[in-house]
Amino acid sequence: MERLINIDNGGTLTDIVVASGTDFTFTKTLTTPVDLSQCLFDAMTKASAQLFGDANLAELLHSTQHIRYSSTQGTNALVQRKGPMIGLITDDPSLPGALGTSVDTAGLFLDLIGARVGIIAAEGAPEDLAQQFVAEINRLTTAGAERLVVASLSAEREHLFKRTMLKNFPRHLLGSVPILFSREFASDTSRQRQVWSGILNSFLHPTVERFLYSAEHRLRAYKVKNPLLIYRNDGASSRVAKSVALKTYSSGPRGGLEGTRALAEAYGLDNVLMIDVGGTTTDVGAVANSTIAVDRRGSIQGVDISYEMSDVRSTGVGGSSIIAVHDGEITVGPESVGAAPGPACFGFGGTSATITDVNLLLGVLDPATYLNGEMALDAARSRAVIAKTVADPLGISLEEALIRMEASYSSHLARSFADLVSPTGETTVAAFGGGGPMNACSAARIAGAHRVLVPRLAAVFSAYGISFSDIAQSYETSVTGFSAAEVAAVRTSMQADAGKDMFQEGHDLSECELDWSTIVEDEEEILTLKATFRLPHPTIASGVPAAASAAVAAGARQVRSTSTQIDSVAVYQLDDQKPGATAAGPAIVEGPFFTARVPLGWTLTVSTAGDLQLADTL
């Protein structure tokens, strides 16, 4: 039996789904930010215990065809601006200004590069230009640049600078500064997109690289037959050595979108909006008529890049986002406590309040059953932190602070997707991630959406969505003005590249699908090729049984609804309900590794697949 392991590494928790035919085993573990390979192996070890009764990582790995891995580390690093200082060297004095023509690009340029810009003369003898180049490298690295991007007026000039770099700064020397050459990194008709792609990749690269090669090294100790695959933001996977850091940005949300598309097809929904609420960020994307919107030239935080991306946006609001008071107002994020120290209630020394702490004190979360009972939550720590950081500064009671914090968080969450909700009310919000189901209904009501769908696998849904990916590589070449013979030669060369790359992925090109196309962009004709090796994909049972039945409550929970009122709320175990089971809010639904809050005025129905369908009746 050959399994497929899918892993989604978040800022606070790491999710794993092990697929074998139609069977799925899944679990979660705390992310270990100091060594991300540790939580990868922790997750796989926990999954092996579920599969075999006792932990047996070696048996799991030896029965696995591929491990597909996705990470929000790059996304979180950029949101929080945690990465290396970048320097830019160019012979085009107008380029720095051209890279910051909007509020978004100007802000990002200031944060990532700032004053670390070196200008080289546009003309001159090669030896003089090379000397200037070396001088700028020394000046910028002395000024603190840890990685450099070179963006020249021509490919020939970049080749000169690359030869100079290799001669004066050999890569084998300790302390040599990584240098990326923009024209070599990305093929594009837009110079600004091309250079920004190089800058962003340089910023993300060390965050991703350290973990991936550490993980591969640890896997080799188990003599794993196939290399670790990286799940990319274009929906495909490839081995570490054939991937670039920029394509890992927002890759987890692409997995969520693929899963959302499967939900839309299973339930016949035309307009589905995903909100994937993790620890640090909420990722938002849309599926219309079973189609994921894709930009051939994607955008990251308002900055256009050279690579294809799905239209997903990330905002700094999540289950571990810090809720604080600034200038007399409650603020939410973008700073996050992450997995270390985590929310105050985790008991790891956290001194900032989060929505997880709020939901614990409101009574939404049961301290004994969080993460399927694998982590006990400490309400006393949450109470002390919220009193100190929110209630006391505002001069209000703890109870009032909880209600205001929840309202502020729900409003922030609603703002992350409200503009995408159809004014006709036909939008369904697919809420997942560890924090999605808890506040999805309250946020949806604020945003004007009346239906929420929480998949049974909500807590690991982006990891589940990776199950729909295949192994693929893409190529493109400008053939503007080429003769038929020249185009044929380019096709032969591109197919040869695909054959080499897919062989390195472990598959012969004859086993792959080849998708050729010609597109026109900025008056240039571009020949594209995508080579794909198909992997098995799961299916979702569709619909809801015609016969409805009353959901069976497992107990009740005392949940605060206002600063002065506490309600006795029914608690339903999702996996104990029959398909077609229904109930009315207020209610709490406990699913595998998640808790969903169903407010007053909402109804719940359990689908054939065991998913939770919620409708606002007010």
Side-chain angles (χ1 to χ4, degrees), residues 58-137:
E59 184 175 349
L60 173 60
L61 291 175
H62 293 155
S63 63
T64 295
Q65 181 182 6
H66 288 294
I67 302 172
R68 292 175 287 197
Y69 172 85
S70 166
S71 176
T72 62
Q73 296 305 315
T75 305
N76 295 344
L78 194 56
V79 167
Q80 300 177 73
R81 301 295 193 264
K82 293 182 178 179
M85 290 191 287
I86 309 297
L88 174 67
I89 298 177
T90 182
D91 52 8
D92 179 1
S94 68
L95 181 62
L99 293 174
T101 56
S102 70
V103 173
D104 289 334
T105 55
L108 195 58
F109 189 91
L110 180 63
D111 290 342
L112 270 54
I113 295 177
R116 294 181 296 276
V117 177
I119 305 295
I120 298 175
E123 302 293 341
E127 56 272 17
D128 293 335
L129 295 173
Q131 187 175 13
Q132 290 182 49
F133 180 61
V134 172
E136 288 303 320
I137 290 177

Side-chain angles (χ1 to χ4, degrees), residues 89 91 120 126 129-131 133-134 137 148-152 154-171 177-185:
I89 298 177
D91 52 8
I120 298 175
L129 295 173
Q131 187 175 13
F133 180 61
V134 172
I137 290 177
L148 298 172
V149 175
V150 177
S152 297
S154 68
E156 292 73 24
R157 183 67 60 83
E158 284 197 7
H159 291 156
L160 167 65
F161 291 152
K162 185 172 185 178
R163 292 194 298 272
T164 302
M165 181 269 292
L166 292 173
K167 178 181 177 181
N168 290 273
F169 304 95
R171 291 174 178 171
V177 177
I179 300 178
L180 181 147
F181 294 86
S182 62
R183 293 181 184 274
E184 186 178 82
F185 176 70

